[in-house]
Amino acid sequence: TSLTLAALEAFRGSGLVDPDRIILLGHSLGAARACTIAAADDAIAGLILLAPAYFTRPDRPPTSFEDQGLRYGAETLRERPLPTLVIAGALDVSRAVQVASLAELRATVRRTAAEIFENLGHGLGPVDGGLTGPIDPRVCRFAAKWAADRIARP
């Protein structure tokens, strides 16, 4: 997390980005890290969470997750309802990603949109046998449009 915070501060100090319009993007456990940072940083404008691991609290959370100070995404967003896009693949079999519960987010967590892509796995690429391809361009376009709509100046 300290490297992520250092990178965030470098972006803010670079003059290349508007510090009030930063959207964090994280995949899998990186999504939990993005939620943890957003919980403590009021200047974060939104989140894009790709196949978020431990977004909801499992029956038996791994001790290493909480030992590292990571936060569950749903809990973070209930406390601080940021504009958030959650994207998952319907074929994601990771025990840490609960695709069925992610689909219900639209109704349960304010300002959160969830999109489940059919035929994609945890890496958000096509699944063929046991192999996963590169991230599907539709996922990239969908996330980019969502972000552009959120940070566009009036």
Side-chain angles (χ1 to χ4, degrees), residues 66-79:
E66 292 179 349
D67 288 348
Q68 291 180 32
L70 295 174
R71 305 251 339 235
Y72 297 96
E75 292 173 12
T76 297
L77 295 177
R78 284 187 181 96
E79 292 170 15

Side-chain angles (χ1 to χ4, degrees), residues 1-17 22 24 33 37 41 44:
T1 302
S2 60
L3 289 176
T4 306
L5 292 173
L8 183 57
E9 287 311 308
F11 275 119
R12 285 185 171 138
S14 72
L16 299 173
V17 298
I22 294 176
L24 297 181
R33 195 166 306 283
I37 291 168
D41 187 335
I44 298 300

Side-chain angles (χ1 to χ4, degrees), residues 48-52 85-89 102 113-117 120 124 138-140 142-143:
I48 297 175
L49 309 175
L50 306 176
L85 173 63
V86 176
I87 297 178
L102 296 177
E115 190 69 25
I116 310 299
F117 282 81
L120 301 184
L124 296 170
R138 295 174 299 152
V139 171
C140 298
F142 192 88

Side-chain angles (χ1 to χ4, degrees), residues 27-154:
H27 173 260
S28 193
L29 204 48
R33 195 166 306 283
C35 289
T36 301
I37 291 168
D41 187 335
D42 289 338
I44 298 300
L47 295 165
I48 297 175
L49 309 175
L50 306 176
Y54 305 112
F55 189 80
T56 56
R57 185 181 292 266
D59 293 334
R60 292 180 301 181
T63 56
S64 61
F65 184 83
E66 292 179 349
D67 288 348
Q68 291 180 32
L70 295 174
R71 305 251 339 235
Y72 297 96
E75 292 173 12
T76 297
L77 295 177
R78 284 187 181 96
E79 292 170 15
R80 183 172 180 240
L82 283 168
T84 301
L85 173 63
V86 176
I87 297 178
L91 300 179
D92 191 334
V93 295
S94 169
R95 292 181 308 165
V97 178
Q98 299 169 344
V99 175
S101 66
L102 296 177
E104 299 170 9
L105 288 175
R106 292 180 204 103
T108 60
V109 181
R110 286 185 26 228
R111 301 180 77 185
T112 299
E115 190 69 25
I116 310 299
F117 282 81
E118 298 298 322
N119 303 317
L120 301 184
H122 184 68
L124 296 170
V127 176
D128 185 13
L131 302 175
T132 302
I135 190 168
D136 190 300
R138 295 174 299 152
V139 171
C140 298
R141 285 192 298 271
F142 192 88
K145 181 177 181 338
W146 183 90
D149 291 347
R150 295 310 164 291
I151 63 171
R153 294 207 185 270

